Structure formats: C-alpha cells, structure tokens
Amino acid sequence: MKYALVNPQWTFEGSTYFGCREPHVPLELLSAREMLRAAGHHVLLIDANMEELAPADVRSKLEAFGEDFLVIPTAPSYLFWRCPQPELRVPKVWIGSLARESKVVLIGPHGSATPHATMMKTGADVVLRGEPDQTLPQLSSVPWEMVPGCCWRDEEGRFRVSEGLGTTDMKAVTMLDYSDYPVERHTHLHHVFAGNGADHLKLGAEVEFARGCPYSCTFCNKTLFRNQFRERDLSQVLQEIDQLIARGVDYVYFIDEIFGVGKQVRVLLEEIAKRPLAIGFQTRIDLWNEESLELLGRAHCVSFECGIESITHEGREEFNKHCRFTTETIESTLLTARKHIPWVQANLIGTTHDDPAEVARFQRTLKAAGVWVSEPVPLFPFPGSPQYVQTFGAQPDEGAWERAHQFYLQLFGDRGFSDIQDQQPRSLAELECAL
C-alpha cells in the first residue's frame, strides 16, 4: 500500500498557542515512515512546513505518487503535542485544499481526546488516538476494530471506535532516516537565544531519546499519548545523531517530555561529550546534582529549561509536582547549573500559593546570577491533562476543546494572559471557521 505523510504549513494567527512557531522536524512522521517501510509499504513524506510548500505544490506530488492513505498531524511535531493549538484550522484547510480521494487519516492530540469532533470538523476518514507510529501500518493489514485507538465511519455512516490507544514500543523506533529530508533548511535552533553562549551554532535538529514521563503533574497534556516513560535503544539514537552531524547539524534539541530520567542518560551524555554537538532540553531541576550538571557542561549543553512551576511547596503540590527539593535547594541548584550551562531557565505557573513579592525576589536573585525566570503563566486545561478533569469534574467529551478554550479566555481575558502571549486570542469557533 502507499502512504503519503504530509506536514502542512502551520499558522497560529489569533490562537492561544504560544509555543515556538519556527518549523521543526516532524518526528512523528519520520518515525511512522520507518514503521511503514518495515511493514513493506511505499511511503512519501512531504514536509510542506519546512519546504514552504503550498497545497497546490503538495497536490501535484500526491497525484504523481497515488497514495492509498493520506496522513496529516493535527499539531506541528511531537515536540508540541503536549501544548498544541486548540483549533483545527490548518488540518481542515489542508484536507479541503488537497481534495484527495484516498483515505485521509488524522493523527495527533485533538483526535486522541475528541475523535468524533475532530472527524466532523475536518472531514477526515480515520482518526487514530494515541501514538500512531505502529498503528498506521495496521490500517492496511488488520481489521480496524483490532487497531488500538482507531476511529472511523462504517459503510452505513456510523461512527466506530476501537478499544485502547496507540502506544509505541520505543525499542522498535530505529534510527530515523534523514537521507532525503531537507535537514539543511532547519536553521532554527530551538530554545537557543542570541547572545547567550551559543551564537557559534548554525544548524539545528530535534531528536527523541525517550517518550513519556513517570510523573503526573496536573498541567501536562500527556495522558492520551506519550504517557508511560520509555527509552529508545541508545545505539539507534547515537546513529541518528551521527547521521545528523554528518549533514552539518551542530545543535540538537531533545523533545523528551522530561530529559534526565532514563537509565541510559549518563551514557548518552558521555557519548555526546565526544562529539561536535551542542544540546538543549526541558527537564526537572530535582533530577540533577553538582556531578551531573558538570557532565552536562562537558556534553556541550547550551539550553537547560526547568519547570519549577511554583516557589512554594504548597504551590508545587497543587500541581502534583512531587518535587524532592526545597525552594532553597531549587535556587542553589539553578545557580550551580548556570556555572556549567550558558542558558538556564526556570518556568513558573500562576498559583495563589505564591506571594507576588516573593516571586519578584526569586526572579531578581536568579536573574542577577544569569538565570532567566519566567513570569507565572496561566494554565490552559488541555483535554489530555489531569487539570482538565480537576477543572470541569469530568473526563473530556466531544466539546472538550471548546470548553477548555472558553474557560481560558474568560479566566484570563480581563487580567491579561502572560508575557509570552503576544496576541489577543480569538474564539475557537471563529478560528475554525476561518477558511
């Protein structure tokens, strides 16, 4: 069978999305391609976002290929499945513009939470809930009732849902093949800021070392995919890194939910220390100590981002953080990290447990030592997060994205959103009707 995997050009005008808007490697599609090839399928991967292709450009490639399945993600890259844009505007526009007769399959966080609504909004034929790496190949060989997380309309138009969610065996994720991918266009260095010790770096990429997280913080949109912690085979990751280095990449951002947990992390860092490669990632501060922070410095870590969330134990417990450190230890460990790493960042979330004056003191002290501390940001109750259930008292239903979006706009509209929300968000209905 023939599968076409298409990453559309993303736009976030009017969205509550405040993640990075630069193009990133569509790791979910590259990973799925390896699984599809291993199953004997023909695969065409088109990154229209990286190559700045319009739907008409992509349509001509699809017509030449003649796909049986057209696969489109609902959020840009695995990196942002945890904090996606709520609206389905881009997939809806692209499905309509491509106008293919093949089976259109949507993957991503929206369909994982609200499969029927996602199908109705976009006109897709199939929605895969959970991680699609290993369920995509099954669409052509297994009855859909047997494919975990598969949602479709049967011949009588009835909406059908199979049991379970797609969960990938990460040991089966081999080295991703970049031989025909436009790596050289990826000049963006994710979470690297000019003038902070990394201006010499030229070419970036993203790599996934582990998936999932053993913690259960209330705000994390991971319960429907990328939940259980799993590491890839270290040798496969190193081969992938060496392949990227050979293409000129000198900076890799690990997209892991939480970098630093796995048993192989120390070995990975020792191996990276031998290579001409800088790294960045997101982590928890209580996973690190003087010795491991020194190792990060030797591994050329240039971007170290920590979710501190709150400056009080009570605030951290509100988010179910289960942080092992006191606030004083958090502060001192961040300062130690800064001795080895040029960019160290601490993120805060708004909570009533934190005295604004004490937050300001915390920020002043750390910023004076070169550690950047965010303003406390408002929480969006993503439908795949425990925060959603706490906020609305029920599991997400088909109106979950609308409910969460409206809640966010109402709660924070009057008092301002955050210092990283650089535009006034529009309603979800308005965004999704904007064709």
Side-chain angles (χ1 to χ4, degrees), residues 182-395:
V183 173
E184 290 74 15
R185 296 182 68 95
H186 194 311
T187 54
H188 169 62
L189 308 173
H190 186 67
H191 215 264
V192 169
F193 305 98
N196 287 282
D199 291 349
H200 59 290
L201 302 175
K202 303 298 182 188
L203 199 61
E206 288 82 42
V207 169
E208 181 179 40
F209 175 56
R211 191 177 295 183
C213 177
Y215 298 93
S216 300
C217 302
T218 60
F219 48 80
C220 192
N221 186 40
K222 71 175 181 83
T223 58
L224 300 172
F225 43 81
R226 306 179 66 86
N227 198 5
Q228 179 188 359
F229 181 79
R230 293 147 286 160
E231 277 185 333
R232 291 176 64 191
D233 184 279
L234 178 61
S235 65
Q236 297 294 318
V237 175
L238 290 173
Q239 287 181 45
E240 189 172 313
I241 286 173
D242 288 338
Q243 180 189 192
L244 291 167
I245 292 173
R247 294 286 296 277
V249 169
D250 55 6
Y251 173 75
V252 156
Y253 185 85
F254 287 100
I255 70 154
D256 307 20
E257 274 74 14
I258 180 166
F259 186 87
V261 172
K263 296 178 181 177
Q264 296 293 312
V265 169
R266 300 295 188 269
V267 183
L268 172 68
L269 292 173
E270 292 286 1
E271 288 295 327
I272 290 173
K274 303 172 187 174
R275 291 165 165 80
L277 184 77
I279 61 171
F281 55 83
Q282 194 171 50
T283 186
R284 290 170 60 108
I285 192 65
D286 59 348
L287 295 175
W288 304 94
N289 56 29
E290 176 72 46
E291 180 187 0
S292 55
L293 289 171
E294 187 274 335
L295 173 56
L296 283 178
R298 286 195 287 113
H300 323 121
C301 178
V302 296
S303 181
F304 181 84
E305 181 184 12
C306 296
I308 303 301
E309 326 312 354
S310 168
I311 63 166
T312 60
H313 171 76
E314 292 77 12
R316 293 190 288 275
E317 284 305 291
E318 176 188 344
F319 301 124
N320 202 34
K321 189 77 178 175
H322 291 311
C323 180
R324 295 186 299 111
F325 286 179
T326 63
T327 301
E328 291 72 22
T329 306
I330 289 172
E331 201 168 318
S332 64
T333 307
L334 286 168
L335 295 174
T336 301
R338 183 62 186 84
K339 295 177 183 176
H340 301 283
I341 303 167
W343 178 264
V344 176
Q345 176 173 332
N347 295 334
L348 297 175
I349 296 174
T351 168
T352 56
H353 292 289
D354 289 358
D355 178 359
E358 279 302 304
V359 171
R361 183 209 62 78
F362 183 83
Q363 292 172 317
R364 275 197 312 273
T365 301
L366 288 168
K367 286 182 177 179
V371 175
W372 191 84
V373 184
S374 78
E375 292 298 322
V377 300
L379 275 183
F380 187 101
F382 286 104
S385 69
Q387 188 75 30
Y388 180 92
V389 179
Q390 287 184 16
T391 302
F392 301 111
Q395 294 296 325

Side-chain angles (χ1 to χ4, degrees), residues 396-415:
D397 58 16
E398 292 297 326
W401 289 99
E402 282 76 6
R403 186 175 299 107
H405 194 264
Q406 187 175 14
F407 172 85
Y408 182 82
L409 294 189
Q410 288 181 344
L411 188 59
F412 298 106
D414 294 337
R415 51 177 149 147

